[in-house]
Amino acid sequence: MPTPDDLAPGPGPVLDQFAAAHPDRHPAAWDADPHGPRLYRAFAARLIARGHPAQGLSLARRGVAAYPGDAELRYLVALGFARGGNAGSAEHALGPLLRERLAGPTGLDRLTADVIALRGRLLKDRFRREPDAAARAALAAGSADWYETAAAHAPDATYPLVNAATMRLLAGDAAGARRHADAVLAAVRPAADDYWAHATAGEAELVAGRPEPAASHFETAVGRMLAAEDYGSLAALIGNLRLLAAAGVGGDLAWVHARLGNVVVYSGHRIDPPGAPARFPDDPALVERVRAAVRAALDAANARFAFGSLAGGADVLFAEELLARGADLQVVLPCAADDFRRTSVDYGRPELRHWADRAAAVLGRLRPDQVHHATEEPYLGSDQLFAYTNEVIQGMAVVRAAQFGFPPEAVVLLDPAAPAAPGGARHFREQWTAAGRPCRTIDLAAVRGYAAAAAHPGWSAGGWEPPAATLPRPIRAMLFADVAAFSRMREEFAPAFFTRFSDLLAGALATAGPAALMANTWGDGFFAVFPGAVEAAEFATGLLARFEAAAADWQAVGFPDPNPLRVGLHVGPVFERADDPVLKGRNVFGRHVNRAARIEPVTTPGCAYASEQCAAQLAVHAPGRFDCDFVGVEQLPKGGGPLPLFRVAPAAGRVAGGPAGG
């Protein structure tokens, strides 16, 4: 029988280690450890730190049930809520523990410092979202107070003190900020490879009014983060710099932008398929001229992070050049790989097989997390998949650029005579520039040097014909919701629960009106379908607000959270039947419905989590209306695989479920 020491997490993927050591497999090691809840603490902390807050939260709660009153596990419950995006439940979980630690023994204690610093962090998060200047100043001062208290208890006070320094400055107390910054600089000794120590020293130097040494530390930190491909830490660092820049400290962040490079999306014409106008023939001399033009455009754009697809022709050339310049390349494929090859890479033609080989070589140089699928299902003649893929590509770039705070840019290879076919290069550019985003256009006709012919001589319009879908296959947004801990609710509370639950759902559906294409409920579960991500996100945030307003009702029937609702969102192609004989109306089904259902169980209670496809569509179609904060990569249940998830909430200053600016 393995011991807790045998099962303890070590270096490597935490999800794999947790699956092997799971408490259901080894209950004695977890629940009867004479040294206390070591495995619960270690795995919950590691899961939360590695971007799996919902799983870490669930495990910490299970640990509290096995070891009632354990302070570290209670702290991890609050931290899991905070990292998962539910500030209200984090405050609810933190409050009693915070009072206990403040009333306990004085002196240095890491856990007490962490508990107190979490209160400062929650106020700092509220400061970021608060639009009112007076309220922001009060939140900054309150956050600084808590960080200062945490520093008094911390064996290593540099983390709470540097945060106290920044928040004092944002509250308008320059002298207090300088005092804390000097204390940090007296204590921190950053090693060459410790980028967070350099970031801490840089922030302290900046607050202390010394921009030159600050720039040196930040340059080292940014370089190390880029080398480690730790873009989450990089985004956090830039967020702190922007907080200070907004207060007039640190000046222009152009140097960060120049060092970091740009986020770009790319698109362009494919090598001509059978029967198409001779726009981009497979002429080696022309291909090399296009490659040179692509290289020059990427150099001019300072491309460092790139998003696009991998069709034969322009996409492959963009991808090859981006890899040559060391860019972080994210590729999105619109359908199953073999179908994509036959529709968009070599068309099943032996004479174009070298394009498929080049695309495969690009994929072979990418990590699994750099290859994405708008859908992994067959093409089935669904041309709308290509327009949908463009939305995913563009939205992913917008989301990544928002993390860094710099505008993304498109680079498009376009023949001016090309039509605006959905999913094509012109459609891609028009959709991108419609939101006022910048675009560099490479004129394919000018590079080619001659007018396009009517068609390739000797090529027929025939070729591979995919099997067609026998039902409509539109792109839809799906929402699944349920109530966390419902299975533990006592039977006598069921009537009150179902009455309130059904009334809230009915009210939300009445507000949504025809935007809810279908809805169904069973037990504590709810499923709805919408035309797109915007309508689904409006419904989700409005529904969460209704449940949050009913917090007293949920606690009256025994739920531990003020808002126990979990909402999962996803967008993808589905099969749709307008006259389902069982439901007497519309019904949808397919793998993307299953994907939406798998998101909800790994969602933090009180939150809406969305797939990257859903977050991407929100970024394209509703810029500024929602905040889509990256949560982490969660392993979905029932073999759903790993999936990047984003917490969806109304943007600062917006009312949940209301119009922009409402």
Side-chain angles (χ1 to χ4, degrees), residues 309-311 315 333-345 386:
S309 195
L310 205 54
D315 284 357
L333 304 180
C335 57
D338 283 346
D339 284 7
F340 178 57
R341 176 181 60 80
R342 290 182 286 188
T343 60
S344 304
V345 185
F386 299 110

Side-chain angles (χ1 to χ4, degrees), residues 515-570:
L517 300 178
M518 68 162 289
N520 197 4
T521 182
W522 56 95
D524 69 318
F526 176 71
F527 172 55
V529 178
F530 300 87
V534 177
E535 296 88 348
E538 290 285 10
F539 184 91
T541 55
L543 184 62
L544 284 167
R546 290 171 185 267
F547 270 70
E548 186 172 342
D553 296 331
W554 310 128
Q555 293 181 303
V557 295
F559 287 103
D561 302 320
N563 186 351
L565 191 70
R566 305 181 293 192
V567 181
L569 299 168
H570 179 56

Side-chain angles (χ1 to χ4, degrees), residues 116 140-150 164 168:
I116 298 170
S143 175
D145 288 343
W146 286 108
Y147 278 125
E148 288 165 357
T149 305
R168 278 281 166 235

Side-chain angles (χ1 to χ4, degrees), residues 310 355-365:
L310 205 54
W355 284 104
D357 294 339
R358 290 168 71 167
V362 169
L363 291 173
R365 295 178 60 185

Side-chain angles (χ1 to χ4, degrees), residues 556-616:
V557 295
F559 287 103
D561 302 320
N563 186 351
L565 191 70
R566 305 181 293 192
V567 181
L569 299 168
H570 179 56
V571 174
V574 298
F575 297 106
E576 186 170 271
R577 183 171 181 178
D579 56 347
D580 185 289
V582 175
L583 296 184
K584 308 299 183 185
R586 189 194 308 262
N587 199 2
V588 301
F589 52 95
R591 290 189 180 180
H592 286 269
V593 178
N594 297 338
R595 174 62 58 90
R598 303 290 181 264
I599 294 172
E600 162 256 298
V602 298
T603 299
T604 299
C607 295
Y609 282 6
S611 65
E612 64 183 347
Q613 292 92 337
C614 182

Side-chain angles (χ1 to χ4, degrees), residues 292-563:
V294 164
R295 183 185 304 124
L298 293 175
D299 287 344
N302 192 18
R304 179 65 180 78
F305 305 90
F307 296 80
S309 195
L310 205 54
D315 284 357
V316 168
L317 293 174
F318 273 113
E320 290 173 343
E321 289 301 315
L322 285 160
L323 290 176
R325 60 184 286 113
D328 178 77
L329 174 62
Q330 305 290 323
V331 165
V332 183
L333 304 180
C335 57
D338 283 346
D339 284 7
F340 178 57
R341 176 181 60 80
R342 290 182 286 188
T343 60
S344 304
V345 185
D346 68 3
Y347 316 111
R349 295 275 184 156
E351 64 269 33
L352 295 177
R353 180 67 193 183
H354 60 280
W355 284 104
D357 294 339
R358 290 168 71 167
V362 169
L363 291 173
R365 295 178 60 185
L366 302 180
R367 303 183 309 272
D369 63 299
Q370 292 178 278
V371 182
H372 311 260
H373 292 82
T375 177
E376 297 183 67
E377 283 65 63
Y379 167 52
L380 298 180
S382 302
D383 286 339
Q384 67 268 26
L385 291 180
F386 299 110
Y388 167 58
T389 300
N390 281 352
E391 290 183 349
V392 173
I393 290 168
Q394 293 185 8
M396 288 173 66
V398 171
V399 170
R400 172 62 64 84
Q403 292 174 332
F404 297 147
F406 303 119
E409 182 176 350
V411 183
V412 178
L413 176 73
L414 180 66
D415 187 322
R426 180 176 292 280
H427 181 262
F428 185 100
R429 188 180 72 167
E430 289 179 353
Q431 186 173 55
W432 181 260
T433 57
R437 301 186 182 103
C439 178
R440 296 174 187 268
T441 301
I442 304 169
D443 186 334
L444 177 57
V447 176
R448 191 177 58 231
Y450 56 86
H456 277 294
W459 273 27
S460 72
W464 175 65
E465 292 294 333
T470 57
L471 282 173
R473 198 187 187 198
I475 307 298
R476 297 293 190 215
M478 284 76 67
L479 178 152
F480 276 89
D482 81 343
V483 174
F486 171 76
S487 62
R488 297 194 293 275
M489 185 182 70
R490 286 159 42 189
E491 182 70 11
E492 62 266 31
F493 292 144
F497 168 82
F498 282 113
T499 299
R500 194 72 175 110
F501 180 74
S502 301
D503 287 348
L504 290 175
L505 290 177
L509 287 168
T511 299
L517 300 178
M518 68 162 289
N520 197 4
T521 182
W522 56 95
D524 69 318
F526 176 71
F527 172 55
V529 178
F530 300 87
V534 177
E535 296 88 348
E538 290 285 10
F539 184 91
T541 55
L543 184 62
L544 284 167
R546 290 171 185 267
F547 270 70
E548 186 172 342
D553 296 331
W554 310 128
Q555 293 181 303
V557 295
F559 287 103
D561 302 320
N563 186 351

Side-chain angles (χ1 to χ4, degrees), residues 37-64:
R38 290 182 293 169
L39 289 176
Y40 284 108
R41 292 171 180 168
F43 272 105
R46 185 74 64 87
L47 286 165
I48 293 168
R50 297 291 176 85
H52 311 288
Q55 293 190 58
L57 168 63
S58 177
L59 183 65
R61 282 184 145 172
R62 180 169 176 167
V64 170

Side-chain angles (χ1 to χ4, degrees), residues 6-100:
D6 296 329
L7 300 175
V14 66
L15 289 177
D16 293 344
Q17 296 178 51
F18 181 51
H22 199 278
D24 287 345
R25 300 182 62 182
H26 308 287
W30 288 76
D31 297 335
D33 185 350
H35 298 287
R38 290 182 293 169
L39 289 176
Y40 284 108
R41 292 171 180 168
F43 272 105
R46 185 74 64 87
L47 286 165
I48 293 168
R50 297 291 176 85
H52 311 288
Q55 293 190 58
L57 168 63
S58 177
L59 183 65
R61 282 184 145 172
R62 180 169 176 167
V64 170
Y67 297 87
D70 184 81
E72 186 158 351
L73 288 173
R74 292 165 63 199
Y75 162 72
L76 290 170
V77 168
L79 182 64
F81 273 122
R83 293 283 180 88
N86 187 340
S89 289
E91 294 272 14
H92 179 75
L94 184 67
L97 179 61
L98 180 61
R99 290 190 291 272
E100 291 172 19

